[in-house]
Amino acid sequence: MSDSSLLLFEESPTVSGNNKDWLSHIKIGQRFDLELLSQRKIRCLCELLGYRAGKYVLFRLEEDAVPDALLVTGLPLVCRFLVEDALGECFAFRSELLHIIRFPDKVILINFPQTVQRRALRNEKRSSIYLNASLQLYLGQASKPAVVPGQIIDISKNGCRFLFSTTYKPEQIRLADVIIKLVDPQAGSPLTLSGTIRNARMDEYGLTAGIQFATPQTALVNRLADINPAAASLARQYRLVDQPDN
C-alpha cells in the first residue's frame, strides 16, 4: 500500500474507476471530514459550498475549527465523506489548500482531486426500506431505557439504519445496546430485534443510527422481500440456494 493510501484509510482502499462518479454522491451543504496534514494534524468538519470540476472545491469552516495561523497556501490535507444508504462507503481524497477567505465566513478553496479512493463500511450492501418502529436505548446508568419512535430506512441480515428525531447527540448513543420493536408487515405480529449502535450521525433529516443485530435476521429480510420490492434483490442473496432446477 502506498504512503498516500495510508494517509487516507487505515485499510487498503479501492481507487474509483471513474474519478467523477463521486460527484453523484455529494450535495451542497454536505458535511466533510477535513484533516490538515500539518505538524498538529488537526481534524474538523466542514460544509461543502460548491465545486468546479477539474479546478477547485469550496468549503466553509466554523470560525473556531482551525487556527488561522495553520491555514496557509499549499498546506496538504485529506477530505473524507460518508455515503450511507445501500452503498455504505467512505470516499476520501488528498488535496492542498489554494486560498482562504476569512470574511464574512471562513471559506477555503482546495485543489479538485485527481484521484478519489473509496472503502466499504460494511461487508454487505443494504436495501432501502421504510418501516415504522420504536427504539429502546439503554444508556449508561439509566434505570430504564429511553424509547423513541422512528423508521428503519435500510436493512440487511446483519443490521439496519434507524432514523429518528431526538435531543441526543451521536456521541451519546454510540455503542449503546438497543431493542427495536416493529410489526411484521406480512404476519401483522410484533417483532423484537436486539442489537448495538455502531455508528451515529446527524443530518437534516434527524439522527441516524447504524445498528448491528445481535443475531442475523435472514428470515425477516426474506419476508420483507415478499411485500417490498426495494428489499427483493437483497433478500435473494440470502435465500436458500438449494432450489429445484427449472
Side-chain angles (χ1 to χ4, degrees), residues 16 33 37 43 70 92-93 111 168 220 228 239:
S16 170
D33 177 275
L37 301 180
R43 293 183 70 164
L70 295 182
F93 59 84
N111 272 323
Y168 291 115
L220 174 60
N228 190 317
R239 290 189 188 277

Side-chain angles (χ1 to χ4, degrees), residues 79-126:
C79 293
R80 302 177 180 89
F81 68 94
L82 298 179
V83 178
E84 291 282 1
D85 303 322
L87 193 61
E89 290 186 331
C90 176
F91 289 71
F93 59 84
R94 188 168 181 171
S95 183
E96 64 179 21
L97 188 59
L98 289 176
H99 187 66
I100 309 102
I101 300 172
R102 292 184 169 85
F103 184 82
D105 284 321
K106 185 177 288 187
V107 176
I108 62 172
L109 282 81
I110 67 172
N111 272 323
F112 192 85
Q114 295 183 354
T115 59
V116 176
Q117 298 174 325
R118 56 203 297 177
R119 177 169 60 88
L121 299 175
R122 56 183 86 102
N123 294 328
E124 58 188 1
K125 290 188 177 182
R126 293 180 180 169

